[in-house]
Amino acid sequence: YLVQYLPIRDLKEMSPDALAANVTLANQARAEVPWGPGLPEEIFLDAVLPHASVTEPRESMRAEFHDRYLPLVKDCKTPGEAALRLNRELFQDYKVSYNPRRLRPDQSSRESIKQGVATCTGLSIMLVEACRAVGVPARLAGIRSWPGRGGNHTWVEIWDDGWRFVGAAEPDPAGLDHAWFVADASKAIKDQPRNAIFAVTYKPTGD
């Protein structure tokens, strides 16, 4: 699956050993968490297995995130519960916070940790990588421009018997599907790409 849809840049730059290690760790995590065996195969392949989210540098932290956070989530009953725990702890542990004075929007987790700052896309990339490292299906979602006021935003979707959402580094006491941007997101315009919400898939979909 990874090779079939592998981005050209990764075909040129990534070693087969790096991809193989990614597969091994993804399958290991799936076997270690209570919800892992029950994940639909298409969800595992597209939202746990992939080695990257978007255009960030390929600097994997899957092994480190797995070893550090599996003990935190191994007693969770659902991937949603595990994602909420990660979102509370991850950014405090690595001392990464929101700040527009970052190197670039699509930072790798390592870049964000080194700087200690990231904007919404970098924070979301980091949370997705940590989630996938412990078998939680996760992907980026976002909007290019909020209707009526402009500005963009990126957040994280978690698969928990359906896709749910959470703001990266913005834990809400009410849990999943609660965030400051709900009112703005409700105004998205599906048939206008500039003002529509998109989720990122590893397998190309045409959009």
Side-chain angles (χ1 to χ4, degrees):
Y1 191 86
L2 286 184
V3 172
Q4 182 177 1
Y5 303 114
L6 194 66
I8 295 298
R9 61 173 281 195
D10 296 343
L11 181 65
K12 294 178 178 179
E13 298 173 5
M14 287 190 69
S15 72
D17 288 346
L19 286 174
N22 182 82
V23 172
T24 297
L25 288 166
N27 281 308
Q28 179 182 342
R30 187 184 194 181
E32 291 172 326
V33 292
W35 61 86
L39 288 179
E41 191 68 8
E42 66 271 17
I43 296 296
F44 173 77
L45 290 175
D46 207 73
V48 176
L49 182 64
H51 57 286
S53 285
V54 279
T55 53
E56 74 272 19
R58 305 324 197 209
E59 301 174 322
S60 177
M61 290 193 66
R62 190 182 284 254
E64 179 175 331
F65 284 160
H66 169 272
D67 292 348
R68 183 164 189 165
Y69 292 113
L70 185 70
L72 179 72
V73 305
K74 65 181 180 179
D75 63 336
C76 292
K77 300 297 188 293
T78 67
E81 181 184 355
L84 291 173
R85 286 193 188 180
L86 279 172
N87 201 25
R88 286 195 300 267
E89 302 296 331
L90 175 66
F91 301 100
Q92 293 183 23
D93 290 346
Y94 283 97
K95 297 179 173 58
V96 178
S97 59
Y98 177 88
N99 193 309
R101 298 181 66 180
R102 74 291 186 255
L103 177 65
R104 55 170 153 247
D106 58 338
Q107 292 177 169
S108 68
S109 299
R110 291 190 186 279
E111 288 178 321
S112 296
I113 291 167
K114 182 177 181 179
Q115 296 173 76
V117 296
T119 44
C120 55
T121 301
L123 295 170
S124 296
I125 287 169
M126 188 170 169
L127 181 58
V128 166
E129 186 170 15
C131 283
R132 291 177 176 178
V134 294
V136 173
R139 65 188 187 186
L140 297 193
I143 191 166
R144 180 180 177 186
S145 180
W146 293 119
R149 69 173 183 86
N152 58 28
H153 193 47
T154 307
W155 57 91
V156 176
E157 289 189 338
I158 304 297
W159 191 89
D160 190 347
D161 287 329
W163 288 106
R164 316 280 299 278
F165 66 85
V166 65
E170 299 172 329
D172 192 296
L176 296 174
D177 300 335
H178 292 84
W180 65 265
F181 54 85
V182 170
D184 286 321
S186 71
K187 300 172 185 175
I189 306 170
K190 187 175 182 180
D191 59 354
Q192 294 187 19
R194 181 178 180 83
N195 303 125
I197 292 172
F198 287 90
V200 177
T201 62
Y202 183 77
K203 178 181 178 180
T205 65
D207 293 322

